[in-house]
Amino acid sequence: MERATHRVRACSLREVPPGTARRLDTLPRILIFNVNGTVYAVEDVCTHEFAVLSEGHFDGVSVECPLHMSRFDVRTGEPLCLPAMEPLRTYRVEVIDDDVIVHIEIGGNN
């Protein structure tokens, strides 16, 4: 059963070209990435310790936490190295015309 989501217009596709990231000031805070023309979204907080991932480094496929250097695959949220062991929360993204839309689950976790 699909859970109810709130659709949030994140930005235009032109505002997040391939190889870049953009932070959304939503609750929860979300970080979107354009990986070779496909847009992905993850929660903007490291699962190891509280650190804001948008302050880290994005290399085109993974984001590195600025606190303890954990890296995560932005396409899946999976950790790529220690100390993080838990995946990031991911969000469904769709592009409609030029609008990047992120689906945030209502009243629960994604």
Side-chain angles (χ1 to χ4, degrees):
M1 181 173 129
E2 190 169 321
R3 297 179 184 228
T5 59
H6 175 70
R7 296 173 58 198
V8 175
R9 181 191 180 277
C11 60
S12 75
L13 189 56
R14 290 185 310 271
E15 292 176 284
V16 61
T20 65
R22 182 179 182 97
R23 188 182 82 194
L24 306 181
D25 289 322
T26 54
L27 287 176
R29 285 200 169 150
I30 295 174
L31 193 52
I32 61 172
F33 302 90
N34 187 326
V35 177
N36 298 320
T38 301
V39 182
Y40 299 91
V42 299
E43 193 163 10
D44 189 18
V45 177
C46 181
T47 59
H48 170 246
E49 283 194 29
F50 182 83
V52 179
L53 292 174
S54 57
E55 295 175 2
H57 174 72
F58 174 53
D59 70 4
V61 176
S62 67
V63 63
E64 184 178 76
C65 175
L67 188 58
H68 292 118
M69 309 318 159
S70 289
R71 285 184 309 113
F72 299 89
D73 186 320
V74 301
R75 299 166 296 182
T76 64
E78 290 297 318
L80 300 173
C81 65
L82 296 173
M85 296 173 60
E86 298 294 321
L88 297 171
R89 181 178 300 163
T90 60
Y91 299 89
R92 186 164 64 99
V93 177
E94 60 183 337
V95 177
I96 300 173
D97 296 323
D98 187 50
D99 293 328
V100 176
I101 309 296
V102 178
H103 292 254
I104 302 171
E105 187 174 311
I106 297 171
N109 296 332
N110 276 3

